[in-house]
Amino acid sequence: MNPSTDYATEFAGRIALVTGSASGIGRAVARRLAAGGAAVAIADINETGAQAVADEFRAGGTKAIAVGVDVTDPASVQRAVQATVDQLGALHLAVNNAGIGGPVVPTHRYPQDEWRRVIATNLDGVFYSLQYELPMMLASGGGAIVNMGSSCAINGFAGVAGYAAAKHGVIGLTKTAALEYAARGVRINAIVPGFIETPLLADATDAERAYLVGLHPAGRLGTAEEIAEMAAFLLSDRASFVNGSHHLVDGAYAAQ
Ligand code: NAI
């Protein structure tokens, strides 16, 4: 492999699928991959939003499609991966990013239906995505995958039992899949973002936002673009020996 530092062309000829890319981190990741020359499938349960992002990308000269997907439904994920390959030609890169926050209440009051919904979206969704992406990547001669973790993937956070359990699971899934496919040309890593300014935090009150900012020695929340840079690195040939690990982008949050 010849690592390239030409950021405008490093993903030329690569085809990428990003789940949850109608908004926030996923959209920023998709935009960064497109800026590097990738063709991109914008996959989201919000089909209108996905269409708007794909339209914007196409207007900028990127080959992009919008794909409706509900990552909690394996048949839907299978269709989305197949649509990507059918319409864009192959699959080389994937970012399994779709996720929800869920309630913030102590474990003994955490609603059981919310538990199922949060696990189904944040953990089952990554599992189903891997199941359908991996065969396509093997057929394409290899690839790279990034799964979206969270600070709650490596530490507890009071009130978010379902979210923390799901995100810890994403790390285990990432490591296991990396072991299984390392010798077959597919690398699988996870990103552990701190709190990032996206619609996921839209419901936070000013006081809650100030609390979250205070958790980060950097003195601010992160941006979706800062996560996208890590995703781009992990998906690029520059990261050819980076595999099966999680990568913090958190303004020193976890260093405390
Ligand atoms: P967001 O709410 O802006 O974007 C999430 C996207 O996922 C939305 O477009 C939504 O429509 C889509 N989505 C939700 N459920 C889906 C489903 N069942 N199937 C397909 N798409 C679905 O949120 P954000 O912040 O961009 O989150 C992206 C990822 O980053 C999530 O996995 C989240 O847990 C993670 N993350 C976010 C942090 C933050 O502070 N914003 C911190 C750490 C991790």
Side-chain angles (χ1 to χ4, degrees):
M1 262 185 223
N2 293 315
S4 165
T5 50
D6 183 349
Y7 298 152
T9 59
E10 68 179 343
F11 298 118
R14 305 282 173 92
I15 295 158
L17 169 69
V18 184
T19 68
S21 48
S23 171
I25 293 171
R27 182 173 54 192
V29 169
R31 186 172 282 137
R32 177 64 180 80
L33 297 177
V40 190
I42 308 298
D44 204 289
I45 199 167
N46 173 2
E47 292 197 45
T48 312
Q51 195 61 61
V53 173
D55 288 348
E56 178 203 314
F57 284 16
R58 277 196 297 268
T62 293
K63 198 169 174 189
I65 60 167
V67 185
V69 67
D70 177 355
V71 297
T72 70
D73 173 4
S76 175
V77 177
Q78 184 174 27
R79 281 195 300 273
V81 172
Q82 190 64 53
T84 302
V85 172
D86 289 347
Q87 294 180 51
L88 296 177
L91 184 67
H92 307 108
L93 310 173
V95 181
N96 300 321
N97 161 84
I100 56 172
V104 184
V105 288
T107 298
H108 74 285
R109 289 201 284 112
Y110 200 97
Q112 292 173 353
D113 57 340
E114 289 290 336
W115 168 271
R116 277 261 50 87
R117 193 173 72 93
V118 171
I119 297 285
T121 308
N122 295 354
L123 182 56
D124 296 359
V126 175
F127 171 62
Y128 298 143
S129 298
L130 289 171
Q131 282 209 304
Y132 296 111
E133 291 160 358
L134 283 161
M136 295 301 187
M137 287 190 188
L138 293 172
S140 303
I145 298 176
V146 166
N147 296 325
M148 202 53 66
S150 159
S151 301
C152 302
I154 57 170
N155 289 311
F157 193 92
V160 299
Y163 187 78
K167 292 295 188 180
H168 273 72
V170 167
I171 300 292
L173 202 45
T174 300
K175 290 177 178 173
T176 299
L179 294 176
E180 292 170 353
Y181 298 94
R184 301 169 71 185
V186 183
R187 293 181 300 102
I188 305 158
N189 289 284
I191 298 178
V192 170
F195 285 88
I196 308 300
E197 195 71 70
T198 74
L200 196 80
L201 301 183
D203 293 340
T205 63
D206 287 351
E208 286 165 346
R209 182 174 298 275
Y211 170 73
L212 295 178
V213 168
L215 295 174
H216 300 77
R220 63 174 176 84
L221 303 182
T223 68
E225 289 70 27
E226 288 171 320
I227 305 306
E229 278 308 315
M230 177 60 87
F233 169 69
L234 292 171
L235 293 172
S236 75
D237 292 344
R238 290 177 285 137
S240 50
F241 203 52
V242 182
N243 199 4
S245 44
H246 59 272
H247 305 269
L248 281 62
V249 185
D250 71 352
Y253 174 28
Q256 302 172 88

